[in-house]
Amino acid sequence: MMVVTSSCKEGNKIAMDNGKYVRYTPEQVEALERLYHECPKPSSIRRQQLIRECPILANIEPKQIKVWFQNRRCREKQRKEASRLQAVNRKLTAMNKLLMEENDRLQKQVSQLVYENSYFRQQTQNATLATTDTSCESVVTSGQHHLTPQHPPRDASPAGLLSIAEETLTEFLSKATGTAVEWVQMPGMKPGPDSIGIVAISHGCTGVAARACGLVGLDPTRVAEILKDRPTWFRDCRAVDVMNVLSTGNGGTIELLYMQLYAPTTLAPARDFWLLRYTSVLEDGSLVVCERSLNNTQNGPTIPPAANFVRAEMLPSGYLIRPCEGGGSIIHIVDHMDLEPWSVPEVLRPLYESSTLLAQKTTMAALRYLRQISQEISQPNVTGWGRRPAALRSLSQKLSKGFNEAVNGFTDEGWSMLESDGVDDVTLLVNSSPGKMMGINLSYSNGFPSMGNAVLCAKASMLLQNVPPAILLRFLREHRSEWADSGIDAYSAAAVKAGPCSLPVSRGGSFGGQVILPLAHTIEHEEFMEVIKLENMGHYRDDMIMPGDIFLLQLCSGVDENAVGTCAELIFAPIDASFSDDAPIIPSGFRIIPLDSGMDASSPNRTLDLASTLEVGAAGNRATGDHSGRCGSTKSVMTIAFQFVYEIHLQENVATMARQYVRSIIASVQRVALALSPSRFGSHAGFRTPPGTPEAQTLARWICDSYRCYLGVDLLKNEGSESILKMLWHHTDAVLCCSLKALPVFTFANQAGLDMLETTLVALQDISLEKIFDENGRKALFAEFPQVMQQGFMCLQGGICLSSMGRPVSYERAVAWKVVNDEENAHCICFMFINWSFV
C-alpha cells in the first residue's frame, strides 16, 4: 500500500512504503495542473470524478490526489508570499534610497542654514557699527540696497524658448533634489513603506510650493503620460490646451500650454496659466517634465487673460521620474505657484496662500492617482454594480467636473445669470444647452427624450466657524433627511427618466429609508463612491409623477478629520435604477474648504457620540480636552450648488423653487453646524436647547434626582464616579424628555433614545410625543398621563411605538416620571423605554 507525504516542495512526486519517491509522469502533472486551475480545492466526490473522467490518473489513489492538491495549494501560497515579500523588499530598498537622498539634502540644507546664520550674524554686527555713520553716502547706499530690479521681457523665439526651458530644468532640479527651497515636512505625514511618500511644503518662499517623492509601480514613460494629462487626475483643472510643440536638438520637447483652473468657490474668480513645458531625458536615464509660466516674453506667441479669469504664475515646477530597480519608478514632484491672492476677498486669501492646501489638492493627488492606476493594473477586478475601476473613476470625474462647472458658471459653456429677487444670498444661473455643458445627450437609448431642455443652477457660499469640515460633511452624508426635501429629490430623480414631471408643490410623501450601497474607493481611500437608495414610504399628489425608490450616485471625499487642510466634498446626482452608461449626470452638492491649517483634531465619533462634547464645566471639555482655544479660530467656506433640469416655459417657477430650497438648506446647515461646533461644548453654554431650558448637565441631575425621589431607587449605578450626563447618555435604555405643553414635544434624549427614534439632537425637537404611538398607544398614554402629574410617575406595559422613520419599535415596559427643578417646580416629563428593539 502506498504512503503519501505532505511535503510542499515536490509536487510531482509520490512516496512509496520504502521511502523512495516515484515521479508523476509529465502527462499526469499536466492533467493535474489543468484540473487545479479549474478547481483548486476539489471535494472527495469531485476527486473521484476526476479519476473517472481522466484515464491517465486511473492508477493514482484518491488519497494521493488529495495530497497533490494540498501540496499544490501550499506551493501557490508560498509563491504568492514570496512574491509579496520580494515586492515589499524592493519597495523598502527604493524607500531607503529615497530616505538617504532626503537625508543628504537635509544635511546640505543644514549646512547652508548654518552658513547663512553666520553671515547674517556678521551682517547684524556690521549694521550695528554702521548706525553711528550718519554720512549722506551711507544713507544713499542704504536706500539703494532695497531697490528691486525690473527684468526685461524674455525672448520667446525658438532659441529663446530653449534657453528658458534649460533654465527651468535647472531651477526645477534644484527644488526637487537640492536646497533652492526650504522644505518642511507636511503636518501629519510620516514616511514609511505604506505611506504615500515623503511630502513637504515650502517655508518662506515666494508663492506656495509643495514637494513629494514616492514609489509607483509604473514605468517612467507611462508615469509621464499620466501626469501630462492633468485634467484626468487634477479635479480643479478645467482644460489644458497644447498651443505649439517644438523639438529640441537633444531629443527633448518644448510645448506651449494654456491651462485653466476652476475656482473652488463662488466668491473668487478662476485662474489661468500660459506655460512652457519641457520634456527631456537626463544622462542617468531619468525622465524630466518641467513647467513654468511665460508671463513676460516677447517675439513669440502669447495668450491674453480670458474674461472671468485671473492670470496666475507657475514658477519652475515639474516631475523627475527615475526607473526603479526591479520595476516601477521613483518620482519627485514639485508644485510651485503664485495664485495672486490679492484678487480674492481677504477672508479667502488663506486658500491661495496655503502650501498645505496645494499639497493636498495637487501634489499628493498626483501620487495617489498614480498609485491607484498601478494597483488597478496589478490587480484587475470588477467592483460595485459590475463596473471596473476605470469606469467608476470616469463617473467620479463626471460628477466632479459637473459640480465645478456649476460653481463657476462660465459663459462660454452657455451659462447666463438670472436677475436677483432683491436678496443676493443665492445666485441663479441658467443654461439652455446642457448637452454641450455636460458632454452628454439628454436623450436615451430607448428613444424617449428627457423631461427638460434647460438646466438651472442655484448656488451660494457661506462662512462657517468652529466646526471641522469632515464632521459637518459626514453628518450631511449620514443624515440626509436633516436638510433634503424628499419632494425635490423625487423631482430631480424624474429628470433621468423619460416622461413629464410637475414641480414639487408639497411634501406629499416621505422617503424615510436611506440605504447606502458602496461602490468603490476611487482614489486610494481618499474618496469613495456609493449609490444612495431613498426608499419611498408614501404616495404623492395625483398631479406629480414620482418614482418608487430614488437612486443617487454620490461622491464623498475629505471625511478624514486627521488630514490637515483637506477639502471635504459631497457631490451627488440622481440616476436611473438601471444605472445605464448613457444616463445624464446632473450633479449637485457641497464643498467645504478650511481657511486655516489649525484644524481641531477632535473625536471622529462626534456625530455619533455626543457624551464627551456635552460635558460642561469650568475645565471645558473634560473628555477630549479643552480645544476651545484652538477651535475658536477655525474657519471654513462652504459652497453649495444645486442643479435642476426643467422645461424652459417653467423657468420662473423653477427659479422660485430653487431659491427657496437652497435658502432652506443654508438654514439647515447653519443649524447643524451650530449643533456640531466643538467650541460650543467647551463653554458654559452647554448644548443647544430651546429657550428657557437648563444646561445639559443640570437637566441630567434633575432627571436622576426626580427618578430617585418618585421611584425610590437610583437611575444610574455608581453615580458620582464620573459625569452624570455621560452616564445618562450611555444608558442602555432609551431615555427621552418631553415638554409640558398641550402637544408635548421631545426636548432631550440620550444616545439610545436617539437610536430608537432614528433621529438626532438637532431634529429631536420637531418630534411630538403623540407621533411615536399608534392610536391604541395614544389612548393608553393619555388615560394614564394625569397619574404622572399627581403621584409623580407611572408604569406602562410593553407595546409598540414608532421611530421618526415610521419603523415599529417594541419595548418590554416603560416608565414615565415628572422631572422637577431645584425649586421643585415641574419642568418636563421623562420616559424610559426598557429593552426596546426594532420589529
Side-chain angles (χ1 to χ4, degrees), residues 409-463:
F410 295 118
T411 55
D412 61 357
E413 294 287 355
W415 290 102
S416 59
M417 186 179 298
L418 292 182
E419 291 186 6
S420 170
D421 62 348
V423 183
D424 295 330
D425 56 340
V426 178
T427 301
L428 296 186
L429 302 175
V430 293
N431 193 323
S432 58
S433 57
K436 175 184 177 182
M437 177 192 69
M438 305 289 182
I440 58 173
N441 182 12
L442 288 182
S443 61
Y444 303 97
S445 55
N446 58 14
F448 291 100
S450 66
M451 59 161 285
N453 49 22
V455 174
L456 182 143
C457 175
K459 59 183 182 177
S461 292
M462 56 190 293
L463 185 67

Side-chain angles (χ1 to χ4, degrees), residues 443-699:
S443 61
Y444 303 97
S445 55
N446 58 14
F448 291 100
S450 66
M451 59 161 285
N453 49 22
V455 174
L456 182 143
C457 175
K459 59 183 182 177
S461 292
M462 56 190 293
L463 185 67
L464 301 173
Q465 299 199 49
N466 307 334
V467 56
I471 292 178
L472 178 56
L473 187 94
R474 196 166 65 242
F475 186 95
L476 294 173
R477 170 180 173 263
E478 296 172 358
H479 302 279
R480 185 179 180 86
S481 61
E482 295 290 340
W483 54 267
D485 187 313
S486 57
I488 293 180
D489 276 340
Y491 170 78
S492 298
V496 296
K497 294 179 179 291
C501 178
S502 303
L503 287 177
V505 295
S506 70
R507 292 177 181 252
S510 64
F511 288 82
Q514 173 178 315
V515 181
I516 298 179
L517 309 173
L519 280 176
H521 289 88
T522 55
I523 302 294
E524 210 179 57
H525 301 281
E526 294 300 317
E527 70 176 31
F528 53 89
M529 290 183 65
E530 56 197 8
V531 172
I532 306 298
K533 178 183 177 184
L534 304 179
E535 297 175 327
N536 191 355
M537 301 180 64
H539 300 283
Y540 284 80
R541 294 163 50 103
D542 293 338
D543 60 346
M544 299 178 68
I545 301 175
M546 294 298 169
D549 294 334
I550 293 176
F551 292 90
L552 301 175
L553 179 63
Q554 185 161 277
L555 178 69
C556 188
S557 62
V559 295
D560 181 7
E561 294 177 54
N562 297 319
V564 179
T566 303
C567 169
E569 289 184 333
L570 184 69
I571 304 173
F572 47 86
I575 57 173
D576 188 79
S578 63
F579 204 180
S580 59
D581 293 333
D582 62 347
I585 292 182
I586 313 293
S588 303
F590 306 89
R591 173 181 290 150
I592 315 171
I593 310 174
L595 293 176
D596 48 23
S597 58
M599 298 185 67
D600 176 27
S602 51
S603 168
N605 297 320
R606 181 183 305 281
T607 58
L608 304 179
D609 178 7
L610 291 176
S612 59
T613 59
L614 293 178
E615 280 198 55
V616 182
N621 189 330
R622 299 190 187 100
T624 59
D626 188 356
H627 300 294
S628 59
R630 285 194 314 173
C631 299
S633 61
T634 299
K635 296 180 181 178
S636 56
V637 59
M638 169 181 270
T639 297
I640 304 171
F642 277 73
Q643 299 189 79
F644 307 91
V645 178
Y646 69 99
E647 295 179 5
I648 197 69
H649 67 277
L650 296 175
Q651 179 170 299
E652 185 176 349
N653 294 336
V654 174
T656 301
M657 176 270 291
R659 277 196 180 97
Q660 294 175 350
Y661 186 41
V662 171
R663 284 169 180 162
S664 71
I665 291 175
I666 291 174
S668 298
V669 168
Q670 289 173 333
R671 182 163 54 97
V672 170
L674 188 61
L676 297 178
S677 172
S679 63
R680 294 175 57 255
F681 299 117
S683 67
H684 293 276
F687 73 97
R688 185 171 180 81
T689 54
T693 58
E695 293 182 355
Q697 191 77 284
T698 303
L699 178 59

